[in-house]
């Protein structure tokens, strides 16, 4: 295992970083043995470690959502939704699943988990959470977080998130993730105790790096550009889709008025009456069919949204690379300047401006002993710096290698998922067309009997 | 034609039209489109050919309107063709070939009117003249004047009020042409109106203006008398059937008005939907440019949405050009029918007044005075004409609306079929496994 710069990191990245080859997003997670060097277990789910199996499968589902009230950090009453997470282990022999864990979590805990993963696995494209607030809504859809449809879609999104994490070759073996599924109480404290927040890069630092890095890996630059474009195009798509849904809703609903007027008209007609009346009924059916159609389409919108948010995760990996690269470049620069300083001190020539040089000029030369001492310090620093540079270099290359591997995995997943999404969208449209043909054919039949 | 009654005035006298064989009647009891089993006593081959482009048996073709060759519309066309029994029809009129004329004073459109007839009233078997809207308007007024006891079909609206409609745009001209064609065909199908002198002149005269300038009022006997009926007589009691017709027309016009508004609203919503779709499709294209493996699928979806947009545009165009005008026509029709009903009321009122006056005079006359008798004649004539026309109108209305609404359903079916085809064709593209690049 690579020796990372701190012990803390060592504890959080227990296993080697190569992917295990479960690169396709299957729904059942392959959960391996407990991380090496991890701290003591909490809920002692012995089935996970007892036989040292790699292939014990578990199923995760977010099966329910419940409104709750409680007191928050500032002791104010608040209403929130809690989600029930159930974990089942599937025995190989008979395929039966046994409920092994079940606990309630709220959205903020999911967020905490994700933030933790982001910090501890910066080379991984971490799966995104479903949106916190409803965006890209078309007018009929509620933007209210408490709306049952929104809650339901969020439940599915959260389940999807957990399944994505569980099927990721690296993330699935994280202990905190495991505890998230199994340890209801004290989980928040456990996460915070890892001190991962300290490891987080400051946003300012990251931004700085973006602008000042000189030689980032070209692939990452291109990838960042791609993720920006992807985010922009999917946002646009979602916005227009919402407007399209709105308009389509209007078209269908206005047809309902035909139902009413045909009915009224049929009252004054003799032979035409029946035909008109029954045709009117079909118009009513047509008008009400749009509700289900658009509900199905929301599922497609959610699939797009997931990749909209994935674009952000992709960008985060690129930024991490830029940061590391910038760090490296700074370290190189620093080392070079120290070496130069040393040289200048040793040879006595002052080639570059330095404060020491100035003060020497102003206040007289320093004693040889002082100079010797300074040279010694510098030499120590240089040696340390060279060590650090070596490890930073190694770290950087390791990061690039691992990140790129995960990016390739992500690309495959993305292409597969989005193709599936487009197919299901086309299928939805086909179904809508068929329904339309059916209704109008029925109406035509009624008209023909007029 | 001065003075004498027009030929074949079948409706004078109290005989019900039911008893007389109708010149245009088909001898069998086949109904028109749909094969319904309700026999009508007075069978008429009085269909309106306006909407679908039918090939007439004598070779006259209306100005080309292309309907998409979907199976449903094809069937409609064929069914109507089967109904035409060339043997009993002896007058065929078509309006087509609109042309723009640019003169110093004005610009206007003329339409070619082709007439084919074996009737003795026509000197030649075939005529072809050009007429403009003004001429149709003139014809209609003349018919109203000379046949006040009959229902005269409506003309399309004279002035275009809505928005900035181009009087010379293809769509507008075509819509108007269809309506004018229908107008003439309705007259052609009418057993009395089709023999009207003005109608004959309209169809045959080389120079209609000269004839119009003559300004000779050629009125029928009944027409003359009805023309001089002034208002001011109070009606005692309207016969039940005419009261019922009046009420029916009121509600009918109301409902049509509502349907017109709904249809307009639908078109508006569809156009707004179309606007969004036209923005939606290209975004997939933009996305496609970013991708590798997904490029083709995304581009395919973009093209698909484009096809659906085109189909939608065709639907809204059809609705505007074919559906709305016919609705409006019928609203105009009901309006003009209401005024004919009013006139009838007036004639009856005058008769009642005269009857009352006669009773008051208490003269011992052996028989009723001539002028009162004339009034009674008028009333009975009017009632008979009106009843016959109403029945004819009801039948035509039923045919027209059946055809109109089936057409509406058809257009929507075609729209969905086009979209279905587009989406189905893209599925294999989406499912295609990409070869390793």
């Amino acid at each position: 295992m690579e020796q990372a710069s701190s012990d803390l990191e060592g504890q959080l990245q227990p296993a080697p970083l190569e992917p295990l080859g479960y690169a396709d997003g299957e729904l059942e997670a392959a959960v391996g043995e407990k991380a090496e060097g991890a701290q003591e277990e909490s809920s002692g789910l012995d089935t996970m470690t007892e036989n040292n199996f790699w292939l014990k499968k578990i199923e995760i589902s977010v099966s329910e959502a419940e409104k709750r009230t409680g007191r928050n950090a500032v002791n104010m009453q608040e209403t929130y939704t809690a989600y029930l997470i159930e974990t089942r282990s599937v025995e190989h022999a008979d395929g039966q699943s046994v409920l092994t864990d079940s606990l309630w979590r709220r959205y903020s805990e999911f967020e905490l988990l994700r933030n933790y993963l982001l910090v501890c696995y910066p080379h991984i494209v971490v799966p995104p959470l479903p949106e916190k607030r409803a965006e890209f809504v078309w007018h009929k859809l509620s933007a209210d977080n408490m709306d049952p449809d929104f809650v339901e879609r969020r439940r599915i999104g959260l389940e999807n998130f957990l399944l994505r994490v569980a099927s990721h070759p690296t993330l699935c073996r994280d202990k905190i993730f495991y505890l998230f599924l199994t340890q209801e109480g004290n989980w928040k404290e456990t996460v915070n105790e890892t001190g991962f927040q300290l490891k987080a890069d400051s946003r300012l630092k990251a931004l700085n790096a973006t602008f000042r890095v000189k030689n980032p890996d070209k692939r990452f630059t291109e990838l960042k550009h791609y993720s920006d474009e992807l985010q922009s195009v999917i946002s646009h798509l979602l916005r227009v889709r919402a407007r399209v849904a709105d308009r389509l809703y209007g078209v269908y609903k206005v047809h309902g008025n035909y139902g009413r007027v045909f009915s009224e008209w049929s009252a004054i007609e003799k032979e035409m009456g029946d035909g008109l009346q029954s045709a009117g009924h079909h118009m009513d059916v047509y008008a009400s069919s749009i509700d289900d159609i658009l509900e199905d389409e929301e599922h497609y919108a959610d699939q797009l949204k997931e990749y909209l948010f994935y674009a952000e995760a992709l960008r985060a990996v690129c930024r991490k690379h830029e940061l590391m690269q910038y760090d490296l470049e700074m370290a190189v620069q620093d080392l070079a300047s120290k070496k130069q300083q040393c040289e200048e001190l040793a040879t006595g020539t002052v080639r570059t401006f330095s404060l020491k040089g100035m003060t020497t000029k102003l206040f007289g030369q320093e004693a040889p002993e002082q100079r010797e001492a300074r040279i010694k310090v510098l030499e120590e620093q240089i040696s340390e710096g060279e060590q650090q540079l070596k490890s930073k270099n190694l770290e950087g290359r390791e990061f690039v290698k691992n990140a790129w591997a995960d990016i390739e995995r992500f690309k495959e997943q993305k292409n597969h998922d989005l193709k599936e999404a487009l197919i299901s969208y086309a299928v939805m449209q086909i179904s809508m067309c068929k329904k339309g043909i059916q209704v109008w054919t029925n109406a035509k039949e009624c008209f023909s009997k007029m | 034609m001065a003075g004498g009654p027009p030929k074949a005035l079948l409706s004078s006298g109290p005989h019900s039209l039911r008893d007389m064989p109708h010149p245009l009647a088909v001898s069998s009891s086949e109904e028109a489109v749909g094969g319904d089993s309700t026999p009508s006593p007075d069978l008429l081959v009085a269909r309106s050919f306006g909407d679908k482009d039918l090939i007439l048996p004598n070779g006259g073709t209306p100005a080309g309107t292309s309907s998409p060759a979907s199976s449903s519309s094809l069937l409609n066309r064929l069914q109507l063709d089967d109904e035409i029994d060339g043997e009993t029809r002896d007058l065929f009129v078509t309006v087509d070939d609109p042309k723009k004329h640019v003169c110093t004073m004005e610009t206007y459109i003329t339409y070619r009117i082709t007439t084919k007839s074996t009737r003795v009233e026509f000197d030649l078997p075939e005529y072809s003249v050009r007429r403009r809207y003004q001429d149709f308007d003139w014809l209609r007024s003349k018919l109203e004047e000379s046949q006040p006891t009959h229902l005269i079909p409506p003309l399309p609206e004279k002035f275009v009020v809505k928005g900035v409609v181009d009087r010379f745009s293809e769509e507008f001209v075509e819509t108007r042409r269809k309506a004018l064609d229908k107008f003439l065909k309705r007259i052609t199908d009418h057993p009395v109106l089709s023999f009207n002198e003005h109608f004959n002149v309209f169809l045959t005269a080389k120079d209609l203006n000269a004839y119009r300038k003559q300004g000779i009022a050629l009125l029928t006997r009944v027409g003359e008398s009805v023309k001089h009926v002034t208002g001011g007589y109070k009606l005692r009691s309207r016969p039940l059937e005419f009261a019922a017709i009046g009420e029916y027309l009121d509600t009918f016009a109301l409902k049509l008005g509502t349907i017109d508004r709904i249809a307009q609203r639908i078109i508006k919503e569809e156009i707004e939907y179309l606007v969004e779709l036209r923005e939606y499709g290209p975004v997939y294209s933009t996305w496609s440019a970013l991708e590798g493996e997904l490029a083709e699928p995304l581009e395919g979806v973009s093209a698909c949405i484009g096809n659906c947009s085109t189909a939608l545009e065709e639907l809204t165009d059809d609705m505007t050009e074919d559906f709305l005008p016919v609705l409006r026509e019928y609203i105009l029709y009901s309006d003009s029918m209401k005024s004919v009903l009013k006139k009838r009321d007036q004639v009856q009122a005058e008769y009642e007044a005269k009857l009352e006056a006669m009773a008051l005079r208490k003269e011992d006359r052996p028989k009723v005075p001539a002028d009162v008798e004339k009034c009674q004649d008028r009333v009975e004539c009017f009632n008979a004409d009106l009843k016959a026309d109403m029945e004819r109108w009801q039948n035509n209305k039923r045919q027209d609306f059946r055809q109109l609404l089936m057409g509406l359903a058809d257009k929507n079916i075609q729209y969905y079929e086009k979209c279905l085809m587009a989406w189905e064709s893209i599925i294999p593209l989406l499912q295609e496994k990409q070869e390793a690049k």
Side-chain angles (χ1 to χ4, degrees):
Chain A
M1 194 179 78
E2 292 304 324
Q3 197 51 53
S5 36
S6 72
D7 272 337
L8 204 58
E9 204 168 320
Q11 282 174 334
L12 293 171
Q13 291 183 19
L17 296 172
E18 295 94 323
L20 286 171
Y22 295 94
D24 51 354
E26 280 180 339
L27 292 186
E28 291 181 338
V31 179
E33 53 180 315
K34 278 253 178 72
E36 300 162 26
Q39 285 134 344
E40 58 281 349
E41 344 295 45
S42 37
S43 69
L45 190 61
D46 291 337
T47 50
M48 291 208 24
T49 54
E50 80 191 317
N51 294 316
N52 251 10
F53 262 62
W54 282 105
L55 299 176
K56 238 352 189 283
K57 303 235 173 156
I58 68 169
E59 285 170 6
I60 306 174
S61 67
V62 177
S63 48
E64 272 172 52
E66 208 177 75
K67 232 198 250 182
R68 295 212 181 146
T69 48
R71 294 206 172 268
N72 65 8
V74 288
N75 210 32
M76 301 264 289
Q77 272 274 59
E78 61 165 0
T79 321
Y80 63 91
T81 313
Y83 300 88
L84 178 64
I85 305 175
E86 291 179 320
T87 315
R88 290 179 159 74
S89 106
V90 183
E91 297 296 318
H92 249 291
D94 53 1
Q96 294 281 4
S97 74
V98 178
L99 184 67
T100 49
D101 280 279
S102 124
L103 41 67
W104 292 87
R105 295 273 184 226
R106 52 184 293 190
Y107 188 84
S108 57
E109 290 174 282
F110 280 85
E111 277 185 310
L112 183 59
L113 172 65
R114 184 163 193 272
N115 288 337
Y116 163 83
L117 292 174
L118 279 172
V119 170
C120 299
Y121 300 88
H123 62 290
I124 303 272
V125 184
V126 177
L129 285 172
E131 54 193 356
K132 188 155 195 165
R133 263 162 281 280
E135 273 179 63
F136 305 111
V137 285
W138 58 283
H139 92 277
K140 243 313 173 143
L141 228 49
S142 173
D144 173 21
N145 280 7
M146 289 293 155
D147 177 73
D149 284 332
F150 177 76
V151 168
E152 172 60 15
R153 294 210 329 277
R154 190 190 252 190
R155 182 195 66 75
I156 295 170
L158 292 174
E159 184 177 281
N160 192 48
F161 167 74
L162 292 178
L163 292 172
R164 291 268 195 217
V165 175
S167 58
H168 190 284
T170 311
L171 299 178
C172 67
R173 284 176 296 140
D174 183 272
K175 186 187 158 203
I176 295 291
F177 172 61
Y178 167 69
L179 292 177
F180 180 87
L181 298 175
T182 57
Q183 176 194 4
E184 183 147 28
N186 267 336
W187 176 80
K188 277 222 304 251
E189 287 73 11
T190 311
V191 186
N192 288 326
E193 272 164 24
T194 62
F196 78 94
Q197 275 106 345
L198 300 170
K199 268 201 68 211
D201 299 313
S202 82
R203 298 216 78 191
L204 193 58
K205 198 168 166 214
L207 206 60
N208 202 27
T210 303
F211 287 117
R212 296 162 100 181
V213 66
K214 294 199 182 72
N215 280 319
D217 184 317
K218 280 237 166 356
R219 294 177 297 172
F220 283 93
T221 314
E222 276 167 22
L223 190 66
K224 191 150 90 97
H225 184 68
Y226 167 77
S227 68
D228 285 341
E229 303 268 278
L230 187 68
Q231 204 171 25
S232 156
V233 87
I234 296 185
S235 303
H236 188 192
L237 195 64
L238 286 168
R239 266 198 309 277
V240 183
R241 193 214 69 92
R243 295 206 301 262
V244 167
D246 231 343
R247 291 300 173 198
L248 191 60
Y249 184 80
V251 170
Y252 271 74
K253 286 300 178 189
V254 180
H255 277 86
N257 291 317
Y258 273 148
R260 196 175 29 93
V261 75
F262 283 169
S263 186
E264 291 166 5
W265 182 10
S266 74
I268 60 169
E269 295 291 344
K270 293 193 212 70
E271 299 107 344
M272 281 169 56
D274 288 336
L276 273 177
Q277 177 88 299
S278 42
H281 161 72
H282 290 299
M283 289 294 100
D284 286 330
V285 168
Y286 182 69
S288 58
S289 68
I290 191 65
D291 296 300
D292 285 341
I293 290 170
L294 287 178
E295 201 179 293
D296 285 344
E297 268 200 28
E298 277 312 308
H299 177 63
Y300 171 68
D302 284 340
Q303 288 175 292
L304 292 181
K305 271 183 213 171
E306 193 192 10
Y307 277 91
L308 174 68
F309 303 141
Y310 251 128
E312 182 65 54
L314 207 56
R315 193 193 295 123
V317 175
C318 297
R319 269 220 288 263
K320 180 68 180 180
H321 163 74
E322 281 172 350
L323 199 67
M324 292 179 78
Q325 182 65 14
Y326 180 67
D327 231 14
L328 191 70
E329 286 170 8
M330 288 290 104
V332 167
Q333 207 175 317
D334 190 60
L335 193 63
S337 108
K338 284 207 164 71
K339 280 189 176 163
Q340 186 160 35
Q341 265 190 307
C342 206
E343 193 203 312
E344 285 171 9
L345 278 178
T347 60
T349 56
V350 179
R351 252 174 293 148
T352 57
F353 176 80
S354 77
L355 198 54
K356 203 63 190 161
M358 272 315 290
T359 54
T360 310
K361 277 222 164 86
L362 292 172
F363 302 114
Q365 288 246 339
E366 47 185 357
E369 305 88 42
Q370 279 175 316
R371 209 200 304 162
E372 279 306 317
R374 284 215 298 133
I375 290 177
K376 199 127 195 274
V377 166
L378 274 176
E379 277 174 351
E380 266 174 38
Q381 284 180 338
I382 287 170
S383 153
E384 212 181 287
E386 275 173 346
Q387 277 288 85
Q388 279 199 341
L389 195 61
K390 233 201 233 159
S391 74
K392 272 199 164 80
N393 248 317
L394 217 58
E395 218 179 273
R397 280 206 294 275
E398 198 60 35
F399 177 88
V400 166
K401 183 179 91 172
N402 292 323
W404 206 256
D406 196 59
I407 284 163
E408 291 296 331
R409 180 206 60 83
F410 169 75
K411 275 188 194 162
E412 289 290 311
Q413 176 197 296
K414 175 202 81 172
N415 287 338
H416 174 266
D417 289 351
L418 288 175
K419 246 203 225 170
E420 288 298 312
L422 290 176
I423 290 173
S424 79
Y425 184 63
V427 168
M428 275 183 236
Q429 300 304 307
I430 287 170
S431 156
M432 179 169 93
C433 290
K434 285 190 174 157
K435 278 193 204 150
I437 291 172
Q438 185 61 60
V439 164
W440 282 105
T441 306
N442 290 342
K444 183 176 171 191
E445 171 113 16
C446 297
F447 290 139
S448 76
K449 299 212 180 92
M450 262 167 52
Chain B
M1 265 295 291
K7 298 194 171 71
L9 185 62
L10 301 164
S11 47
S12 57
H15 300 291
S16 165
L17 212 54
R18 279 166 216 205
D19 301 338
M20 296 184 224
H22 196 283
L24 299 178
V26 178
S27 46
S28 68
S29 63
E30 280 166 15
E31 257 280 357
V33 186
D36 210 326
S37 56
T38 331
S40 19
D42 184 16
L43 267 115
L44 305 154
V45 185
R47 264 173 301 281
S48 43
F49 297 121
D51 290 353
K52 299 288 181 194
D53 45 334
L54 301 167
I55 313 295
L56 299 179
N58 286 8
T61 40
T65 26
S66 51
S67 309
S70 112
S71 51
S72 39
S73 70
L74 204 60
L75 206 58
N76 278 348
R77 250 185 278 166
L78 291 173
Q79 280 181 321
L80 283 166
D81 268 299
D82 285 339
E83 296 300 322
I84 295 173
D85 191 349
E87 291 175 79
T88 54
R89 284 191 135 264
D90 59 358
L91 175 64
F92 298 90
V93 179
T94 317
V95 180
D96 64 2
D97 191 33
K99 275 197 169 41
K100 193 155 140 182
H101 298 256
V102 184
C103 308
T104 39
M105 293 300 287
E106 54 173 351
T107 308
Y108 59 91
I109 307 260
T110 62
Y111 304 84
R112 178 178 65 188
I113 320 292
T114 312
T115 309
K116 293 187 173 126
S117 177
T118 52
R119 290 187 183 179
V120 296
E121 291 80 12
F122 293 90
D123 296 331
L124 302 171
E126 198 169 321
Y127 290 89
S128 180
V129 298
R130 295 210 78 95
R131 300 283 181 249
R132 55 187 290 192
Y133 184 90
Q134 268 182 18
D135 302 329
F136 283 84
D137 202 26
W138 167 87
L139 173 62
R140 190 169 193 281
S141 333
K142 282 296 179 218
L143 286 174
E144 268 187 332
E145 261 179 45
S146 56
Q147 318 271 184
T149 60
H150 287 287
L151 302 174
I152 317 293
L155 274 178
E157 274 150 2
K158 192 174 204 149
F159 301 110
V160 191
V161 183
K162 274 250 151 65
V164 206
V165 180
D166 180 12
R167 269 192 308 138
F168 303 107
S169 77
E170 250 183 68
E171 295 85 19
F172 177 78
V173 170
E174 176 56 19
T175 303
R176 202 174 238 203
R177 183 204 64 78
K178 282 199 201 124
L180 294 174
D181 184 82
K182 198 158 207 192
F183 170 73
L184 289 184
K185 286 192 161 70
R186 279 177 172 147
I187 299 174
T188 308
D189 292 345
H190 196 287
V192 176
L193 296 179
S194 62
F195 287 93
N196 184 283
E197 181 72 16
H198 300 294
F199 184 51
N200 188 301
V201 172
F202 177 89
L203 292 178
T204 60
K206 276 273 175 288
D207 182 1
L208 191 64
N209 282 329
Y211 179 80
R212 285 171 64 169
K213 287 199 178 96
Q214 282 173 30
I216 297 170
L218 304 165
L219 295 173
T220 66
R221 196 184 62 211
V222 178
E224 176 77 48
S225 47
V226 173
K227 195 176 176 220
H228 292 306
V229 169
T230 49
Y233 294 106
K234 200 89 195 290
L235 184 66
R236 284 285 174 74
S237 64
R238 193 176 288 113
L240 268 163
E241 55 192 329
F242 293 109
I245 291 173
E247 269 171 42
Y248 169 81
L249 286 175
D250 279 337
T251 313
F252 178 70
L254 214 65
K255 294 308 150 196
L256 281 195
T258 307
I259 294 176
D260 180 66
R261 275 193 302 281
I262 295 172
Q264 277 184 62
R265 178 76 191 280
I266 288 176
I267 292 171
K268 177 168 167 285
E269 295 283 340
E270 282 175 346
I271 287 174
E272 291 183 348
Y273 172 48
L274 182 63
V275 166
E276 302 297 350
L277 276 185
R278 290 242 184 258
E279 190 181 331
Y280 184 50
V283 181
Y284 282 97
S285 254
T286 308
W287 187 359
S288 157
L290 298 176
E291 297 287 340
E293 197 180 313
L294 289 177
E296 257 183 60
L298 286 169
E299 190 58 56
V301 171
S302 176
C304 199
I305 295 174
N307 288 338
C308 293
S309 308
T310 306
L312 183 60
E313 194 168 28
E314 284 165 14
L315 176 64
T316 55
D317 283 345
D318 278 351
M319 286 285 288
T320 311
E321 285 158 28
D322 294 340
F323 187 74
L324 290 181
V326 178
L327 279 182
R328 302 223 174 102
E329 225 171 72
Y330 262 91
I331 296 175
L332 291 173
Y333 219 153
S334 341
D335 287 344
S336 75
M337 282 160 76
K338 293 286 290 296
S339 42
V340 176
L341 279 176
K342 275 211 192 82
K343 260 193 249 150
R344 190 217 68 87
D345 284 350
Q346 285 308 313
V347 171
Q348 183 181 330
E350 189 190 351
Y351 170 62
E352 283 173 354
K354 290 219 161 94
L355 216 54
E356 214 179 279
M358 189 183 78
L360 285 174
R361 280 201 299 269
K362 287 196 175 123
E363 285 169 12
D364 270 327
R365 299 227 185 176
K367 64 180 171 96
V368 181
D371 65 334
V372 179
E373 217 173 66
K374 231 194 255 176
C375 256
Q376 184 184 23
D377 236 0
R378 259 185 251 145
V379 173
E380 284 172 355
C381 206
F382 210 139
N383 287 352
D385 284 351
L386 209 50
K387 251 173 60 180
D389 274 7
M390 260 317 286
E391 218 174 281
R392 188 174 300 118
W393 181 86
Q394 284 282 14
N395 269 326
N396 288 351
K397 174 207 77 183
R398 189 176 168 194
Q399 303 295 9
D400 285 346
F401 275 98
R402 183 203 264 140
Q403 188 178 27
L404 182 72
L405 292 170
M406 283 176 75
L408 170 68
D410 256 337
K411 294 192 220 298
N412 278 280
I413 291 170
Q414 282 159 34
Y415 160 70
Y416 278 114
E417 280 176 348
K418 286 179 205 160
C419 292
L420 179 65
M421 198 165 73
W423 285 106
E424 279 183 334
S425 70
I426 207 210
I427 295 266
L429 172 71
L430 293 175
Q431 287 175 327
E432 209 172 67
K433 288 262 181 267
Q434 296 259 301
E435 300 305 321
K437 295 227 160 121

